[in-house]
PDB file of all heavy atoms in Angstrom:
ATOM      1  N   ILE A  67     -10.578   3.766  13.979  1.00  0.00           N
ATOM      2  CA  ILE A  67     -10.158   2.598  14.766  1.00  0.00           C
ATOM      3  C   ILE A  67      -9.398   1.614  13.883  1.00  0.00           C
ATOM      4  O   ILE A  67      -8.363   1.062  14.271  1.00  0.00           O
ATOM      5  CB  ILE A  67     -11.384   1.925  15.407  1.00  0.00           C
ATOM      6  CG1 ILE A  67     -11.962   2.821  16.512  1.00  0.00           C
ATOM      7  CG2 ILE A  67     -11.021   0.556  15.975  1.00  0.00           C
ATOM      8  CD1 ILE A  67     -13.301   2.358  17.022  1.00  0.00           C
ATOM      9  N   ILE A  71      -5.637   0.417  14.789  1.00  0.00           N
ATOM     10  CA  ILE A  71      -5.368  -0.959  15.223  1.00  0.00           C
ATOM     11  C   ILE A  71      -4.739  -1.780  14.100  1.00  0.00           C
ATOM     12  O   ILE A  71      -3.680  -2.402  14.276  1.00  0.00           O
ATOM     13  CB  ILE A  71      -6.654  -1.627  15.727  1.00  0.00           C
ATOM     14  CG1 ILE A  71      -7.255  -0.830  16.893  1.00  0.00           C
ATOM     15  CG2 ILE A  71      -6.369  -3.064  16.138  1.00  0.00           C
ATOM     16  CD1 ILE A  71      -6.345  -0.710  18.089  1.00  0.00           C
ATOM     17  N   VAL A  75      -0.859  -3.254  14.006  1.00  0.00           N
ATOM     18  CA  VAL A  75      -0.588  -4.696  13.992  1.00  0.00           C
ATOM     19  C   VAL A  75       0.088  -5.121  12.696  1.00  0.00           C
ATOM     20  O   VAL A  75       1.071  -5.876  12.709  1.00  0.00           O
ATOM     21  CB  VAL A  75      -1.900  -5.484  14.202  1.00  0.00           C
ATOM     22  CG1 VAL A  75      -1.667  -6.986  14.046  1.00  0.00           C
ATOM     23  CG2 VAL A  75      -2.485  -5.186  15.578  1.00  0.00           C
ATOM     24  N   PHE A 110     -18.053  -7.378  11.416  1.00  0.00           N
ATOM     25  CA  PHE A 110     -16.953  -7.681  12.330  1.00  0.00           C
ATOM     26  C   PHE A 110     -16.645  -9.184  12.320  1.00  0.00           C
ATOM     27  O   PHE A 110     -15.486  -9.597  12.382  1.00  0.00           O
ATOM     28  CB  PHE A 110     -17.300  -7.218  13.740  1.00  0.00           C
ATOM     29  CG  PHE A 110     -17.667  -5.757  13.813  1.00  0.00           C
ATOM     30  CD1 PHE A 110     -18.850  -5.341  14.394  1.00  0.00           C
ATOM     31  CD2 PHE A 110     -16.817  -4.799  13.286  1.00  0.00           C
ATOM     32  CE1 PHE A 110     -19.189  -3.997  14.459  1.00  0.00           C
ATOM     33  CE2 PHE A 110     -17.136  -3.448  13.343  1.00  0.00           C
ATOM     34  CZ  PHE A 110     -18.330  -3.049  13.922  1.00  0.00           C
ATOM     35  N   LEU A 114     -13.138 -11.116  11.077  1.00  0.00           N
ATOM     36  CA  LEU A 114     -12.432 -12.188  11.788  1.00  0.00           C
ATOM     37  C   LEU A 114     -12.200 -13.398  10.879  1.00  0.00           C
ATOM     38  O   LEU A 114     -11.096 -13.956  10.834  1.00  0.00           O
ATOM     39  CB  LEU A 114     -13.242 -12.617  13.013  1.00  0.00           C
ATOM     40  CG  LEU A 114     -13.280 -11.646  14.204  1.00  0.00           C
ATOM     41  CD1 LEU A 114     -14.286 -12.133  15.231  1.00  0.00           C
ATOM     42  CD2 LEU A 114     -11.898 -11.524  14.842  1.00  0.00           C
ATOM     43  N   GLY A 240     -11.497   8.286  22.279  1.00  0.00           N
ATOM     44  CA  GLY A 240     -10.678   7.176  22.752  1.00  0.00           C
ATOM     45  C   GLY A 240     -11.072   5.892  22.053  1.00  0.00           C
ATOM     46  O   GLY A 240     -12.012   5.865  21.246  1.00  0.00           O
ATOM     47  N   LEU A 241     -10.355   4.837  22.365  1.00  0.00           N
ATOM     48  CA  LEU A 241     -10.646   3.533  21.778  1.00  0.00           C
ATOM     49  C   LEU A 241     -11.540   2.726  22.707  1.00  0.00           C
ATOM     50  O   LEU A 241     -11.370   2.764  23.928  1.00  0.00           O
ATOM     51  CB  LEU A 241      -9.350   2.754  21.521  1.00  0.00           C
ATOM     52  CG  LEU A 241      -8.391   3.312  20.466  1.00  0.00           C
ATOM     53  CD1 LEU A 241      -7.160   2.418  20.371  1.00  0.00           C
ATOM     54  CD2 LEU A 241      -9.069   3.413  19.117  1.00  0.00           C
ATOM     55  N   PRO A 242     -12.485   1.979  22.148  1.00  0.00           N
ATOM     56  CA  PRO A 242     -13.313   1.111  23.001  1.00  0.00           C
ATOM     57  C   PRO A 242     -12.499  -0.068  23.507  1.00  0.00           C
ATOM     58  O   PRO A 242     -11.454  -0.418  22.939  1.00  0.00           O
ATOM     59  CB  PRO A 242     -14.420   0.649  22.045  1.00  0.00           C
ATOM     60  CG  PRO A 242     -13.801   0.724  20.683  1.00  0.00           C
ATOM     61  CD  PRO A 242     -12.854   1.898  20.734  1.00  0.00           C
ATOM     62  N   LEU A 243     -12.946  -0.680  24.562  1.00  0.00           N
ATOM     63  CA  LEU A 243     -12.288  -1.885  25.064  1.00  0.00           C
ATOM     64  C   LEU A 243     -12.528  -3.041  24.093  1.00  0.00           C
ATOM     65  O   LEU A 243     -13.595  -3.135  23.481  1.00  0.00           O
ATOM     66  CB  LEU A 243     -12.825  -2.244  26.456  1.00  0.00           C
ATOM     67  CG  LEU A 243     -12.511  -1.252  27.577  1.00  0.00           C
ATOM     68  CD1 LEU A 243     -13.211  -1.681  28.864  1.00  0.00           C
ATOM     69  CD2 LEU A 243     -11.003  -1.135  27.788  1.00  0.00           C
ATOM     70  N   PRO A 244     -11.548  -3.904  23.934  1.00  0.00           N
ATOM     71  CA  PRO A 244     -11.736  -5.027  23.008  1.00  0.00           C
ATOM     72  C   PRO A 244     -12.820  -5.982  23.499  1.00  0.00           C
ATOM     73  O   PRO A 244     -12.944  -6.233  24.701  1.00  0.00           O
ATOM     74  CB  PRO A 244     -10.365  -5.706  22.992  1.00  0.00           C
ATOM     75  CG  PRO A 244      -9.703  -5.299  24.263  1.00  0.00           C
ATOM     76  CD  PRO A 244     -10.214  -3.930  24.578  1.00  0.00           C
ATOM     77  N   HIS A 245     -13.610  -6.459  22.565  1.00  0.00           N
ATOM     78  CA  HIS A 245     -14.646  -7.433  22.900  1.00  0.00           C
ATOM     79  C   HIS A 245     -14.886  -8.302  21.675  1.00  0.00           C
ATOM     80  O   HIS A 245     -14.732  -7.856  20.537  1.00  0.00           O
ATOM     81  CB  HIS A 245     -15.939  -6.738  23.322  1.00  0.00           C
ATOM     82  CG  HIS A 245     -16.568  -5.928  22.230  1.00  0.00           C
ATOM     83  ND1 HIS A 245     -16.099  -4.673  21.872  1.00  0.00           N
ATOM     84  CD2 HIS A 245     -17.614  -6.182  21.402  1.00  0.00           C
ATOM     85  CE1 HIS A 245     -16.818  -4.193  20.883  1.00  0.00           C
ATOM     86  NE2 HIS A 245     -17.743  -5.092  20.566  1.00  0.00           N
ATOM     87  N   LEU A 246     -15.273  -9.526  21.913  1.00  0.00           N
ATOM     88  CA  LEU A 246     -15.516 -10.465  20.820  1.00  0.00           C
ATOM     89  C   LEU A 246     -16.898 -10.201  20.245  1.00  0.00           C
ATOM     90  O   LEU A 246     -17.877 -10.145  20.981  1.00  0.00           O
ATOM     91  CB  LEU A 246     -15.420 -11.904  21.329  1.00  0.00           C
ATOM     92  CG  LEU A 246     -15.413 -13.006  20.259  1.00  0.00           C
ATOM     93  CD1 LEU A 246     -14.139 -12.928  19.437  1.00  0.00           C
ATOM     94  CD2 LEU A 246     -15.522 -14.378  20.927  1.00  0.00           C
ATOM     95  N   PRO A 247     -16.993 -10.015  18.926  1.00  0.00           N
ATOM     96  CA  PRO A 247     -18.318  -9.807  18.322  1.00  0.00           C
ATOM     97  C   PRO A 247     -19.223 -11.007  18.559  1.00  0.00           C
ATOM     98  O   PRO A 247     -18.759 -12.146  18.695  1.00  0.00           O
ATOM     99  CB  PRO A 247     -17.999  -9.650  16.827  1.00  0.00           C
ATOM    100  CG  PRO A 247     -16.549  -9.307  16.764  1.00  0.00           C
ATOM    101  CD  PRO A 247     -15.915  -9.955  17.937  1.00  0.00           C
ATOM    102  N   THR A 248     -20.520 -10.744  18.600  1.00  0.00           N
ATOM    103  CA  THR A 248     -21.494 -11.828  18.756  1.00  0.00           C
ATOM    104  C   THR A 248     -21.482 -12.701  17.510  1.00  0.00           C
ATOM    105  O   THR A 248     -21.727 -12.212  16.394  1.00  0.00           O
ATOM    106  CB  THR A 248     -22.901 -11.265  18.980  1.00  0.00           C
ATOM    107  OG1 THR A 248     -22.873 -10.409  20.131  1.00  0.00           O
ATOM    108  CG2 THR A 248     -23.894 -12.391  19.191  1.00  0.00           C
ATOM    109  N   ILE A 302      -7.918  -9.732  12.229  1.00  0.00           N
ATOM    110  CA  ILE A 302      -8.490 -10.439  13.382  1.00  0.00           C
ATOM    111  C   ILE A 302      -8.593  -9.496  14.580  1.00  0.00           C
ATOM    112  O   ILE A 302      -9.592  -9.485  15.302  1.00  0.00           O
ATOM    113  CB  ILE A 302      -7.634 -11.670  13.737  1.00  0.00           C
ATOM    114  CG1 ILE A 302      -7.809 -12.752  12.665  1.00  0.00           C
ATOM    115  CG2 ILE A 302      -8.011 -12.225  15.100  1.00  0.00           C
ATOM    116  CD1 ILE A 302      -6.914 -13.956  12.862  1.00  0.00           C
ATOM    117  N   VAL A 303      -7.596  -8.681  14.792  1.00  0.00           N
ATOM    118  CA  VAL A 303      -7.557  -7.807  15.972  1.00  0.00           C
ATOM    119  C   VAL A 303      -8.475  -6.593  15.808  1.00  0.00           C
ATOM    120  O   VAL A 303      -9.172  -6.195  16.754  1.00  0.00           O
ATOM    121  CB  VAL A 303      -6.106  -7.356  16.250  1.00  0.00           C
ATOM    122  CG1 VAL A 303      -6.065  -6.392  17.434  1.00  0.00           C
ATOM    123  CG2 VAL A 303      -5.217  -8.566  16.514  1.00  0.00           C
ATOM    124  N   ALA A 304      -8.496  -5.980  14.612  1.00  0.00           N
ATOM    125  CA  ALA A 304      -9.278  -4.750  14.414  1.00  0.00           C
ATOM    126  C   ALA A 304     -10.764  -4.923  14.750  1.00  0.00           C
ATOM    127  O   ALA A 304     -11.346  -4.047  15.431  1.00  0.00           O
ATOM    128  CB  ALA A 304      -9.107  -4.243  12.979  1.00  0.00           C
ATOM    129  N   PRO A 305     -11.434  -6.006  14.330  1.00  0.00           N
ATOM    130  CA  PRO A 305     -12.855  -6.143  14.683  1.00  0.00           C
ATOM    131  C   PRO A 305     -13.114  -6.240  16.188  1.00  0.00           C
ATOM    132  O   PRO A 305     -14.213  -5.914  16.642  1.00  0.00           O
ATOM    133  CB  PRO A 305     -13.267  -7.444  13.973  1.00  0.00           C
ATOM    134  CG  PRO A 305     -12.308  -7.601  12.856  1.00  0.00           C
ATOM    135  CD  PRO A 305     -11.018  -7.057  13.378  1.00  0.00           C
ATOM    136  N   LEU A 306     -12.112  -6.672  16.951  1.00  0.00           N
ATOM    137  CA  LEU A 306     -12.294  -6.761  18.405  1.00  0.00           C
ATOM    138  C   LEU A 306     -12.488  -5.381  19.019  1.00  0.00           C
ATOM    139  O   LEU A 306     -13.068  -5.250  20.103  1.00  0.00           O
ATOM    140  CB  LEU A 306     -11.087  -7.448  19.038  1.00  0.00           C
ATOM    141  CG  LEU A 306     -10.775  -8.870  18.549  1.00  0.00           C
ATOM    142  CD1 LEU A 306      -9.553  -9.421  19.274  1.00  0.00           C
ATOM    143  CD2 LEU A 306     -11.971  -9.788  18.732  1.00  0.00           C
ATOM    144  N   PHE A 307     -12.013  -4.335  18.335  1.00  0.00           N
ATOM    145  CA  PHE A 307     -12.158  -2.955  18.814  1.00  0.00           C
ATOM    146  C   PHE A 307     -13.260  -2.204  18.057  1.00  0.00           C
ATOM    147  O   PHE A 307     -13.436  -1.006  18.272  1.00  0.00           O
ATOM    148  CB  PHE A 307     -10.839  -2.202  18.658  1.00  0.00           C
ATOM    149  CG  PHE A 307      -9.754  -2.669  19.585  1.00  0.00           C
ATOM    150  CD1 PHE A 307      -8.966  -3.761  19.268  1.00  0.00           C
ATOM    151  CD2 PHE A 307      -9.535  -2.028  20.793  1.00  0.00           C
ATOM    152  CE1 PHE A 307      -7.962  -4.201  20.117  1.00  0.00           C
ATOM    153  CE2 PHE A 307      -8.536  -2.450  21.658  1.00  0.00           C
ATOM    154  CZ  PHE A 307      -7.749  -3.552  21.319  1.00  0.00           C
ATOM    155  N   GLY A 308     -13.945  -2.896  17.136  1.00  0.00           N
ATOM    156  CA  GLY A 308     -14.981  -2.233  16.345  1.00  0.00           C
ATOM    157  C   GLY A 308     -14.493  -1.723  15.015  1.00  0.00           C
ATOM    158  O   GLY A 308     -15.144  -0.862  14.399  1.00  0.00           O
ATOM    159  N   GLY A 309     -13.353  -2.231  14.552  1.00  0.00           N
ATOM    160  CA  GLY A 309     -12.820  -1.822  13.267  1.00  0.00           C
ATOM    161  C   GLY A 309     -13.346  -2.687  12.134  1.00  0.00           C
ATOM    162  O   GLY A 309     -13.854  -3.787  12.345  1.00  0.00           O
TER     163      GLY A 309
END
Side-chain angles (χ1 to χ4, degrees):
I67 290 170
I71 301 300
V75 174
F110 305 127
L114 288 172
L241 294 179
L243 294 175
H245 64 282
L246 190 67
T248 303
I302 289 175
V303 177
L306 301 180
F307 291 84

